[in-house]
């Protein structure tokens, strides 16, 4: 059989952050399927600046492993250093954590880093802010003796790269827990230091260095989270990924700084000074709020020579140099945000001389004054172009412009724009930010950075107004939304969105709770029922200038099909697909469309007629082999001259002239007169990394026009408009680089027509089929395999155009089959089988009478066919962020042994399944040693497991490698849910403990799901 292949973040240079890939640490490579490391287009790692000299923070999405630099340990440490290090390592912990969903500048992540105990009695751990996470966090820490303990955030700084986690010291039983003392005053140039932490998450590393600077500006990591308004400490320690949050200690064992980042263009590391972390720790210890003040201005330290160019007078320079003899620069305003306290008072380039009458040049003192003056006025003395400018400003509470809540509705998440984002783009801190652009609010183009301007023609300046507007919009409504991107605020975008309040019915507010470390969920409003749709009128376009008269009539038989999937099932890579379908019965509203557009029936189907009328559709039939689906819309709602296409029952011939009519990438009709170049049995390549639906055992038609490669939907027709073949998109494998390969081929209507006629009569076909994949063998091979001269003559007489037979290439797993791989089929029910279409008799036969050749021996046998009732997925369980269902048809086609009835189809980033490496294409065999052969037994066992406890899963890979993993259950963020098809509808239920109830209550979103074992 001819193969279709024969036919047809960051550029970060570095080291700062470790991917946190537990898989590459704790899992042998044999447990993972071979894959390409790439993104499927829904990834959050596409927005990084090119050629960043400074590395980005924690390459949060698995699979983005930075180049690791081998640590240089202090091999010749003195006895004093040895004693210090022995004391310090007991206080250092490895932190493994997840952010469960996208929030602010951070995406859903699974990663690991370092922290160290700063209060042994109360259980406080200091680490980086990008470890504590801006959004919902769950994780645990591992001490030096490998005792594990849950941690939760109690504080994350709005700006500076530090946060505080808390653990229960009582849970550490086998070693004394001590704490490191914070001494920011001991961080001095020339001081010898050690960085004690994880070496790429694999082991404890001790890296030596010497502090070279204490006054550098905060490093800029490009888009995303960045620290600012602080000086950083610089040293050469060559810290590698996973060392984020490591203590920087001196020879006396004091923590003098916090490891935070580094550059790979030089062996340089950047450490955060501990002045503000020490203050925050003292406030947290005392149970007091950590006040943070701001005037919404970013300052940079600039040397005196540059300050002079900006207008610093010699008199003020003399005063400053005498007051601070060791200083070499001053603070200069870099960015002043519109509408902030400093707006129209401070200008970019202003040099800060005094605050409240006090001369200062350092961030430490400026931050102290602002943090102690929240809600109070401060007086600034500035130098602007050689002139003294005195102003008085009221200090704003920084926490009020740092989001601590987010709204989830229609499959997407929103919060007020943060100071972090606003500062990056120098815009006002206002607007509704789409932190998880998914579901109904999945915009075209860039993944992140959208600001909602209006919804349903109503302005939405903030989250509260946005909530009130969304409460009034019924389910399945289509509304106008305007929005801008942070990178291009000059351009207003307008889209019409289809509101989904049925798959994700809850409108929920998540609010951060610093007492428990959790984000508490609150239901905001129930969905409004859909508004009844009224009939509408429309006219199709006319093709007056097309040379083929039949084209104008054929256009009236095409409608646009849009399909939105709430879950990723069956290995399908996309959450949305659209294309054109052919109306085969206008009176009943029947449309035939490619399965590359409608892959399964857990979806929303929209049908657009004449590019004017949009109505809902439903899936009636999915063909198991021939790559098409039949959907239905309500024709009573459509007052347009839709015409039923006339389908021919005559097969096409090679060389026949035909009219090609298709729709190109711009959704425009293109028409050409052409000829059929080939009709041959093809093999759509299987996707090895994630099995998904593919057409097999079909004859594909190709034509002699370049338009055929540009069009994914269309027909081949006679001059009178009779349709001879459908032009469909076939989803193939995934190429290197992450792009899904699609093939555009014709399917003869003579194969489709019998199914269409049954559906027209109200009968949903219950097909049977041979569960084998066939491929062509030519006569030279047939002779060698043992065919007699008589059979060769019969083949030549039966098909003068193609002297060929078919051989069994693969037998599907699961159902018993008398055919074996390598069998060559001579005849079916007494007919020589030289065309794949002659196998269509299997669809309504319980068994076939076949003559085959096996091992050079001719054999006659009765071959039973297999029902297709259970080929489509009709039940889905979501557990710990993993999407589980029975192995779908593509799995059975590609695997040789069915390990279990529980197949991992996808998983959500930031979930336990992602953290503990339950990867797609795995099969679950047992829970806590109890065999779970199917979903019922699996649900029975996992319902016995208390929340936040570990359990064991026995798992086997697609390639037959068994292993056991342990996973911690997390019902707060990832409850167990189930989708069950009942008739032509799907029922949803969520398990709350052991009792299921209706409703989808989870952060799980289809756009954050990975259907492949690779890491994004």
């Amino acid at each position: 059989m001819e193969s279709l292949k024969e036919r047809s973040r960051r550029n970060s240079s570095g080291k700062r952050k470790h991917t946190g890939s537990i898989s590459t640490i704790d899992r042998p490579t044999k447990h993972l399927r071979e894959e390409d490391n790439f993104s499927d287009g829904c990834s959050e790692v596409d927005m990084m600046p090119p050629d960043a000299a400074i590395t980005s923070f924690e390459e949060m999405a698995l699979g983005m492993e930075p180049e690791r630099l081998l640590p240089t340990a202090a091999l010749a440490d003195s006895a004093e250093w040895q004693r210090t290090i022995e004391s310090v390592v007991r206080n250092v912990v490895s932190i493994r954590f997840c952010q469960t969903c996208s929030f602010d500048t951070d995406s859903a992540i699974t990663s690991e880093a370092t922290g160290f105990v700063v209060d042994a009695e109360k259980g406080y751990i200091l680490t980086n802010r990008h470890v504590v996470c801006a959004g919902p966090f769950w994780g645990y820490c591992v001490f030096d003796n490998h005792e594990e303990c849950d941690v939760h955030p109690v504080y994350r700084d709005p700006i500076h790269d530090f946060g505080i986690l808390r653990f229960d010291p009582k849970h550490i039983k086998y070693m004394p827990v001590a704490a490191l003392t914070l001494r920011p005053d001991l961080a001095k140039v020339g001081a010898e230091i050690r960085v004690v932490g994880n070496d790429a998450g694999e082991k404890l590393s001790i890296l030596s260095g010497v502090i070279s600077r204490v006054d550098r500006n905060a490093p800029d990591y490009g888009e995303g989270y960045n620290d600012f308004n602080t000086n950083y400490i610089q040293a050469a320690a060559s810290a590698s990924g996973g060392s984020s949050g490591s203590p920087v200690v001196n020879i006396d064992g004091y923590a003098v700084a916090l490891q935070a980042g580094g550059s790979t263009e030089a062996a340089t590391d950047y450490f955060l000074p501990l002045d503000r972390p020490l203050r925050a720790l003292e406030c947290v210890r005392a149970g007091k709020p950590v006040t943070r003040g701001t005037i919404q201005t970013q300052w940079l330290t600039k040397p005196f020579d540059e300050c002079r160019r900006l207008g610093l007078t010699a008199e003020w320079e003399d005063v400053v140099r005498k007051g601070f003899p060791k200083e070499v620069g001053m603070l200069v305003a870099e960015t002043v945000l519109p509408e902030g306290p400093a707006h129209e008072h401070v200008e970019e380039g202003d040099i800060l001389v005094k605050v409240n009458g006090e001369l200062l040049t350092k961030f430490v003192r400026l931050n102290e004054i602002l943090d102690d003056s929240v809600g109070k006025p401060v007086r600034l003395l500035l130098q602007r172009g050689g002139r003294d400018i005195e102003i008085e400003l009221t200090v704003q509470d920084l926490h009020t412009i740092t989001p601590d809540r987010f709204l989830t509705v229609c499959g997407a998440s929103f919060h007020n724009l943060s100071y972090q984002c606003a500062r990056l783009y120098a815009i006002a801190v206002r607007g509704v930010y789409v932190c998880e652009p998914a579901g109904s609010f999945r915009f075209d183009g860039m993944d992140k950075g959208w600001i909602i301007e209006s919804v349903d023609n109503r302005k939405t300046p903030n989250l509260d107004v946005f909530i009130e507007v969304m409460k009034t919009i019924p389910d399945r409504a289509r509304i106008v939304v305007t929005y801008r991107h942070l990178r291009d605020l000059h351009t207003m975008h307008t889209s019409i969105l289809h509101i989904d309040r049925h798959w994700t019915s809850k409108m929920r507010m998540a609010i951060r709770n610093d007492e428990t470390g959790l984000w508490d969920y609150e239901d905001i409003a129930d969905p409004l029922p859909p508004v009844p749709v009224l009939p509408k009128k429309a006219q199709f376009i006319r093709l007056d200038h097309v040379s083929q008269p039949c084209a104008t009539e054929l256009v009236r038989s095409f409608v646009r099909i849009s399909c939105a999937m709430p879950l990723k099932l069956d290995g399908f890579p996309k959450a949305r697909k659209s294309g054109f379908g052919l109306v085969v019965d206008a009176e009943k509203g029947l449309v035939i469309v490619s399965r590359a557009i409608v892959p399964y029936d857990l979806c929303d189907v929209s049908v657009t007629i004449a590019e004017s009328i949009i109505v809902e559709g439903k899936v009636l039939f999915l063909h198991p082999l021939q790559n098409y689906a039949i959907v239905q819309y309500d024709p009573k709602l459509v007052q347009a001259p839709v015409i039923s296409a006339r389908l021919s029952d005559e097969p096409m011939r090679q060389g026949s002239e035909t009219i090609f009519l298709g729709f190109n990438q711009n959704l425009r009709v293109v028409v050409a007169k052409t000829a059929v170049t080939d009709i041959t049995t093809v093999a759509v390549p299987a996707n090895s990394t994630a099995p998904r639906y593919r057409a097999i055992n079909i004859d594909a038609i190709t034509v002699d026009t370049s338009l055929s490669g540009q069009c994914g939907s269309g027909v081949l027709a006679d001059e009178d408009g009779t349709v001879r073949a459908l032009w469909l998109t076939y989803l193939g494998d995934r190429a290197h680089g992450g792009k899904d390969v699609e093939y555009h081929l014709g399917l003869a209507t003579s194969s489709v027509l019998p199914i269409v006629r049954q559906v027209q009569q109200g009968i949903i076909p219950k097909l049977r089929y041979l569960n084998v994949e066939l491929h062509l063998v030519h006569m030279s091979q047939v002779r060698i395999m043992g065919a007699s001269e008589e059979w060769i003559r019969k083949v030549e007489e039966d098909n003068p155009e193609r002297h060929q037979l078919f051989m069994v290439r693969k037998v599907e797993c699961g159902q018993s089959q008398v055919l074996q791989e390598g069998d060559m089929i001579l005849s079916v029910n007494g007919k020589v089988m030289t065309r794949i279409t002659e196998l269509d008799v299997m669809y309504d036969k319980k068994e076939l009478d076949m003559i085959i050749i096996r091992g050079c021996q001719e054999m006659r046998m009765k071959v039973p066919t297999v029902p297709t009732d259970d080929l489509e997925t009709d039940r889905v369980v979501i557990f710990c962020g993993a999407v589980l269902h029975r192995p779908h048809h593509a799995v059975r086609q590609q695997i040789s042994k069915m390990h279990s009835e529980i197949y991992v189809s996808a998983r959500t980033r930031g979930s336990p399944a992602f953290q503990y490496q339950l990867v797609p294409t795995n099969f679950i065999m047992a829970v806590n040693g109890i065999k779970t052969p199917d979903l019922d037994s699996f649900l029975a066992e996992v319902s016995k497991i208390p929340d936040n406890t570990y359990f064991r899963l026995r798992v086997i890979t697609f390639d037959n490698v068994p292993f056991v993993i342990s996973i911690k259950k997390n019902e707060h963020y990832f409850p167990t849910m189930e989708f069950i098809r009942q008739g032509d509808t799907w029922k949803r239920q969520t398990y709350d403990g052991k009792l299921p109830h209706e409703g989808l209550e989870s952060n799980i979103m289809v756009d954050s799901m990975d259907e492949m074992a690779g890491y994004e």
Side-chain angles (χ1 to χ4, degrees), residues 19 44 60-62 96-102 106-111 133 135-139 436 521 879-882 906-918 967-970 972-975 1002-1005 1007-1010 1015-1016:
T19 66
E44 68 277 13
M60 294 300 193
L62 290 179
R96 296 180 177 179
F97 67 96
C98 294
Q99 179 168 298
T100 65
C101 60
S102 295
D106 301 335
S107 299
I109 57 167
T110 297
S111 193
C133 299
F137 167 104
W138 70 273
E436 185 79 78
Y521 291 100
F879 177 73
C880 286
R907 60 179 179 172
T908 305
R909 293 188 289 274
S911 67
F914 214 108
Q915 170 80 303
Y916 298 102
Q917 293 306 298
L918 181 63
I967 296 183
K968 181 177 286 187
K969 197 174 185 182
N970 187 323
H972 183 77
Y973 295 121
F974 299 96
S1002 171
N1003 293 322
I1004 293 177
M1005 299 174 184
D1007 295 275
S1008 67
M1009 289 182 176
D1010 297 327
Y1015 309 115
E1016 296 195 359

Side-chain angles (χ1 to χ4, degrees), residues 409-412 438-443 496-501 576:
V409 64
C410 300
S440 299
F441 287 83
R442 174 73 178 179
F443 301 124
I496 296 175
L497 304 186
H498 180 221
I499 296 300
D500 166 24
R501 294 294 304 277
R576 290 183 181 180

Side-chain angles (χ1 to χ4, degrees), residues 903-929:
Y903 176 80
V904 182
S905 180
R907 60 179 179 172
T908 305
R909 293 188 289 274
S911 67
F914 214 108
Q915 170 80 303
Y916 298 102
Q917 293 306 298
L918 181 63
V919 302
T921 72
N922 283 170
F923 295 83
I924 297 175
M925 309 284 288
V927 177
N928 285 336

Side-chain angles (χ1 to χ4, degrees), residues 623-626 696-697 766-773 810-817 819 839-848 850 863-872 888-890 892-893:
H623 199 286
L625 304 178
Q626 294 185 350
I696 64 170
N697 300 342
K766 301 294 184 182
L767 303 182
R768 303 182 69 86
Y769 77 113
L770 281 180
N771 55 339
V772 296
E773 181 178 348
K810 187 79 172 66
V811 177
E812 289 180 14
C813 180
Q815 295 279 358
S816 61
Q817 179 57 267
L819 291 176
L839 197 61
D840 288 355
V841 296
M842 67 182 175
Y843 290 132
D844 57 1
K845 305 290 185 184
K846 289 190 176 182
E847 68 176 15
L848 302 175
M850 284 190 168
V863 180
T865 58
V866 176
T868 59
D869 298 342
D870 64 344
L871 289 189
E872 303 300 333
H888 53 285
H889 193 196
R892 303 183 211 184
Q893 289 174 331

Side-chain angles (χ1 to χ4, degrees), residues 543 546-558 643 646 658-661 669 671-673 715-723:
L543 301 177
V546 175
S547 59
Q548 310 302 329
C550 66
T552 297
E553 182 175 307
L554 282 172
V555 164
R556 293 163 60 187
S557 298
F558 278 96
I643 297 177
R646 300 192 307 275
T658 186
I659 307 299
F660 176 86
L661 183 145
V669 179
V671 183
K673 189 169 185 178
V715 293
L716 302 179
D718 292 336
E719 291 188 356
D720 64 356
T722 301
V723 176

Side-chain angles (χ1 to χ4, degrees), residues 30 43 116 150 229 263 324 355 416 544 549 559 590 635 648 657 669 754 756 766 791 871 913 968 971:
K30 66 179 182 179
S43 171
F116 58 97
D150 287 347
N229 282 353
S263 170
F324 304 99
V355 179
N416 285 317
D544 294 336
V559 295
L590 300 179
S648 172
E657 290 191 348
V669 179
V756 171
K766 301 294 184 182
W791 276 109
L871 289 189
K968 181 177 286 187
E971 291 184 339

Side-chain angles (χ1 to χ4, degrees), residues 351-489:
I351 303 166
L352 182 62
V353 180
K354 290 183 178 181
V355 179
N356 287 344
E358 178 182 343
L359 195 68
L360 59 78
T361 61
K362 287 284 194 179
F363 280 112
V364 171
R365 184 57 188 146
L366 174 62
N367 288 333
E368 287 176 352
I369 295 172
L370 293 179
D371 290 348
D372 293 338
S373 305
V374 175
K376 302 176 183 177
V378 292
R379 291 175 288 107
L380 305 185
L381 175 62
L382 308 171
Q383 274 263 289
R384 181 183 301 163
R387 295 182 296 113
D388 288 353
I389 305 293
E390 293 189 55
I391 58 174
E392 183 174 288
L393 305 174
T394 299
V395 178
Q396 185 179 13
D397 185 351
L398 182 54
H399 294 298
T400 62
I401 52 175
T402 302
D404 60 357
R405 60 176 187 155
F406 66 90
L407 176 77
T408 299
V409 64
C410 300
S413 295
F414 311 82
H415 58 66
N416 285 317
L417 184 67
S418 70
Y419 183 36
Q420 272 286 338
C421 286
R423 193 273 320 174
L424 184 62
Y425 296 97
I427 61 176
V429 190
R430 59 176 170 80
V432 179
Y433 179 72
V434 189
C435 60
E436 185 79 78
S440 299
F441 287 83
R442 174 73 178 179
F443 301 124
D444 293 333
M446 292 169 283
D447 282 344
K448 288 193 170 184
W450 300 109
I451 300 291
I452 302 295
E453 293 282 337
S454 70
V455 174
D456 199 21
N457 299 309
R458 286 172 281 180
K459 294 291 185 181
T460 54
N462 56 55
L463 188 62
D464 291 330
V465 175
F466 178 81
I467 291 171
E468 294 306 313
V469 171
M470 291 302 299
K471 286 180 179 179
T472 66
I473 300 174
D475 184 26
R476 301 184 186 274
R478 284 181 166 81
I479 60 171
V480 177
V481 174
T482 60
Y483 50 98
R484 302 179 190 270
H485 198 276
L486 289 172
R487 293 187 195 167
D488 183 15
L489 294 171

